[in-house]
Amino acid sequence: MTYRGKWHGRKFYFGLHYDLHAGEGDATLGTRCSMKELVPMLKLMKPDFVQTDCKGHPGYTSWFSKVKSASVPPKLKKDALRQWREATKALGLPLHCHYSGIWDKAAGKKHPEWCTVDSEGGIAGAPSGQNAGAPTGEKMCPLGPYLDKLMIPQMIELIDRYDVDGFWIDGDLWSTEPCYCKLCRGEFTKKTGIAKPPVKETDPDWPAWWNFTRENFESYVTKYCDAVHKHKPGVLVCSNWLQTFNNPGEPKVPTDWISGDNTWVFGLDQSRCEARFLSTRGKPWDIMLWNFYCSHGMGKPESPWTAKPQQMLMQEASVILSFGGNVQIYENPGAVRDGRLIPWRQKRLNDVGNFVKKRRAVCQGSESIPQIAVLHSEHHIRNTVKGRNLMWGIDSAPVKGAVMSLLENHYGVDVLDEWALLPRLADFPAVVVPERHAMSEKMAIALKEYVRNGGSLVVSGAEIFDRLGAEFLGVTKGEIQKDKAFHVPAADGSVSLFSAAWRLVKPKTADVIEGLGTTLLLDDCILPYPAATINRVGKGRVAYIPADVFRDFERNRYPLTRAFIGKVAAKTIGSLPIQVDAPVCVDVAMRTKEEKTIIHLINRLSGIPNQPNNGAIDEIPMAGPITMTISRPSKPKTVTAPLEKGEIKWSYAKGKLTVKLSRVHIHEAVVIK
Ligand SMILES: [Zn+2]
């Protein structure tokens, strides 16, 4: 049985995360965070839980660690952690430590033998930033002595000395890459029988090597979870980004909750996928939003960090909240490293907190109303991986493209890996398999059975043909053309669709949904091969798009491609019990709680015209009107829109409820009782 995790309680909903990544030269840490200074700042923001600076990627502690291999800044004067503990205790707030795990530069300097070794035998540098690829020895080997000699002893020290309530381990999954140290090489051969670990990502043994790394990382996290839980039950542990969208598969590692810090800019887009996946993990979860952003990438001196407008944070929070997640905000006051928080920013965060807390009653503890399940197969990821990094090295672009294109067509979408989908397949009226040909055999068999029993399935990609077969898809095997753009009719026109592989099939038992052309002309240069087909199998239907359509959408987001996908989806799925007609910018989340139907509407607009050098969201304009039709056997008692001020009208006749909402500003929830 998979561990279901643990959290402090339902009212701990909105958090503050503060970290500085202390370095060797830091002397003033904690000199300005006495009770007198810190308590009023926390009262200004009113978080429900707090995470504070402890040990960052440079590896230096902001407390006086006595563990033998610890690195304490030599000129450190004050114990910041003690003061954060006193202030949070006084306010009744749980306190977590921000602690960098795999990424520890100071430990690497003291103990080069603890470091991850690169394929040429040198010690590996940082996972990102200036020292990426440099021989600076910043990443610890998950099998090495670091865990037992430094990390676990420091976690125990923090529990015993400060009575901390939890750990948010940073620099972990996303800092881990294959290690070529003697121990890792030996274990790999012992486990797999492969004589030597591969060096190139294109090597056929690469997935085995990457998965070996993943399993080592998982047992490293399991060990520190077990050590903490054993030492003091009730202290919570999280490993940043573990078990999130970029790490699909059964969440076996016994962390207590799932969390990740979202990208500092354009964060809403990723959260649309993240929230739909995290809500299927069966554990408490949150997403951390950065309170600041910059243009032109991270760390460029000519593009300094700046505070996000409140509306930007509110918009980012909405998608997380609507799927039942908690929210925390990452604050880092830049050059102010003495422990002071910035009053005007704390005040702004209070506005964001009020927005978040207002939504708790309608959002927390809700469940999805299944419409479309997008398959995010862990087997596909693990069988086809061509990257190094455990988080960034995977290819999930087609899954994102499927989520985004279906959302723009106003479907309710959940993202499930095989572990989550297999037991719940029959709950979903429709399943989309976006270019996931390396899914497990069990999944492929289950999907065929699902269609025979009446399910609607959309599959894409040239390669999936070999997994599902000619008879099931109702088309010929055809031939493959590589790196081609063909023209696909959509709406009133036609759109170019590039695919690394196009399968040119001919329909046998399947019907053609759209044809395929070699030019933009709609009535000439038409090929005898379809862009999409639909085949009846048993009581259900399967649609086939024989190209990388969802990868294309993730990359290009063309409105005509969205229209093409919308047509294929509508033909395959037919009408669903809840239908939403809204502007493209409005995302829908369909949830249920205490027998209420809740339709969340999230407006993704910005009032600032988009430019390539500007990711800011502010002055969000209203979007609407929105019409919802809901099939239900009886007239509801009430239909309300409790969060914003849009005008709501509804009527019920012949089993159909029609709700019209005049507009949504950032996030409204239509609650039907
Ligand atoms: Zn190693």
Side-chain angles (χ1 to χ4, degrees), residues 1-15:
M1 185 76 186
T2 312
Y3 175 53
R4 306 277 300 180
K6 200 169 178 181
W7 185 242
H8 304 294
R10 295 169 72 91
K11 66 177 185 172
F12 300 95
Y13 193 54
F14 175 64

Side-chain angles (χ1 to χ4, degrees), residues 44 49-50 101 223 252 272 353 518 535 599 622:
L44 201 52
F49 63 96
V50 172
K223 277 185 196 157
K252 281 186 199 156
R272 295 163 82 199
T518 54
N535 195 33
I599 304 174
M622 304 291 171

Side-chain angles (χ1 to χ4, degrees), residues 441-618:
E441 191 54 24
K442 195 175 169 191
M443 191 75 235
I445 291 168
L447 285 171
K448 286 185 171 180
E449 193 59 26
Y450 164 77
V451 173
R452 276 193 285 272
N453 291 333
S456 298
L457 177 66
V458 176
V459 301
S460 63
E463 296 92 338
I464 194 88
F465 178 91
D466 295 323
R467 294 305 307 280
L468 299 178
E471 195 187 329
F472 182 71
L473 296 173
V475 297
T476 62
K477 190 175 171 72
E479 62 162 69
I480 295 212
Q481 293 219 354
K482 295 217 156 154
D483 298 326
K484 283 285 264 200
F486 286 112
H487 296 266
V488 177
D492 62 335
S494 169
V495 64
S496 292
L497 178 57
F498 174 85
S499 181
W502 266 99
R503 188 177 286 276
L504 301 180
V505 303
K506 284 191 174 164
K508 284 173 80 181
T509 54
D511 295 328
V512 173
I513 299 178
E514 283 295 2
L516 202 59
T518 54
T519 72
L520 290 168
L521 292 165
L522 299 178
D523 54 359
D524 199 5
C525 308
I526 303 298
L527 293 167
Y529 315 108
T533 54
I534 185 163
N535 195 33
R536 282 172 196 285
V537 180
K539 294 180 202 154
R541 283 170 288 207
V542 54
Y544 182 37
I545 303 170
D548 298 342
V549 64
F550 293 112
R551 183 182 300 283
D552 175 273
F553 190 80
E554 196 274 337
R555 182 175 169 82
N556 299 311
R557 315 277 179 108
Y558 294 149
L560 284 171
T561 309
R562 175 221 309 143
F564 166 65
I565 293 168
K567 183 171 178 181
V568 174
K571 281 255 178 202
T572 315
I573 300 164
S575 69
L576 290 165
I578 301 176
Q579 311 239 57
V580 178
D581 184 17
V584 169
C585 62
V586 175
D587 273 2
V588 181
M590 296 172 191
R591 309 286 292 177
T592 177
K593 182 179 173 178
E594 293 152 3
E595 290 173 25
K596 290 176 290 220
T597 297
I598 304 167
I599 304 174
H600 292 271
L601 302 160
I602 294 159
N603 178 7
R604 296 187 294 125
L605 283 180
S606 176
I608 304 176
N610 54 359
Q611 298 133 355
N613 63 344
N614 182 9
I617 305 281
D618 207 358

Side-chain angles (χ1 to χ4, degrees), residues 370-374 425 427-432 450 455-458 573 576:
Q371 279 208 338
I372 297 181
V374 171
L425 200 46
D427 295 348
F428 286 88
V431 176
V432 172
Y450 164 77
S456 298
L457 177 66
V458 176
I573 300 164
L576 290 165

Side-chain angles (χ1 to χ4, degrees), residues 115 141-143 179-181 183-184:
C115 292
C141 168
L143 294 188
C179 173
Y180 293 80
C181 79
L183 184 61
C184 286

